[in-house]
Amino acid sequence: MTIPGIQRLDAADTQAGGQERPFSKAVRAGDFVFVSGQVPTRDGEVVVGNIAVQTEVVIENIKEVLALAGCGMEHVVKVGVWLDDARDFSSFNAVFKKHFSIHPPARSTVESPLMVDAKVEMDVVAYCPLKG
């Protein structure tokens, strides 16, 4: 069933072993784009590295998903962050600031156990008016 004004943008990539994941990378609802939680993966595998390396991968993944909706980082209005270890907060912030220094969004950050070897997960909400 399709609902007017709601567009599901690309199914989530398969995870390691080819198992499908049952959600969209993002959903556009009118002028808002909701990006599913992004973890530091490439080709279904968690990228090995410290919090800075993994945060860069997560942000690149977010940029790719936003591009599916015709949006960029300047459209992001809210970010949710999960850190596996609260001691990574400062290092995470240093990377985050590089990408959001001009247009800082609202943000929530919590400590939470994450999937194996992932140190960070982020989801975003973007306000990206449809061209009409």
Side-chain angles (χ1 to χ4, degrees):
M1 173 172 124
T2 59
I3 299 170
I6 296 179
Q7 177 187 15
R8 295 168 203 299
L9 302 167
D10 210 359
D13 299 333
T14 55
Q15 60 190 32
Q19 183 179 10
E20 291 183 18
R21 297 187 288 173
F23 55 88
S24 299
K25 289 182 181 180
V27 174
R28 177 183 274 283
D31 290 337
F32 286 93
V33 177
F34 300 85
V35 176
S36 292
Q38 299 294 306
V39 292
T41 57
R42 290 205 177 103
D43 301 320
E45 298 289 338
V46 174
V47 172
V48 176
N50 63 23
I51 188 66
V53 169
Q54 288 198 359
T55 302
E56 289 286 358
V57 172
V58 168
I59 290 173
E60 288 307 313
N61 291 347
I62 288 169
K63 288 178 180 179
E64 289 174 14
V65 176
L66 286 170
L68 294 172
C71 304
M73 298 294 274
E74 68 276 14
H75 295 102
V76 174
V77 295
K78 177 72 168 91
V79 179
V81 180
W82 294 265
L83 296 175
D84 190 61
D85 187 337
R87 292 172 293 192
D88 287 335
F89 188 72
S90 293
S91 297
F92 165 80
N93 267 340
V95 176
F96 187 90
K97 185 177 180 179
K98 285 185 348 186
H99 296 277
F100 288 106
S101 61
I102 297 172
H103 304 285
R107 189 181 96 186
S108 301
T109 306
V110 297
E111 180 183 29
S112 177
L114 297 173
M115 59 187 270
V116 176
D117 299 327
K119 299 177 185 316
V120 59
E121 180 171 351
M122 295 170 59
D123 67 4
V124 303
V125 177
Y127 179 74
C128 187
L130 291 164
K131 315 285 188 275

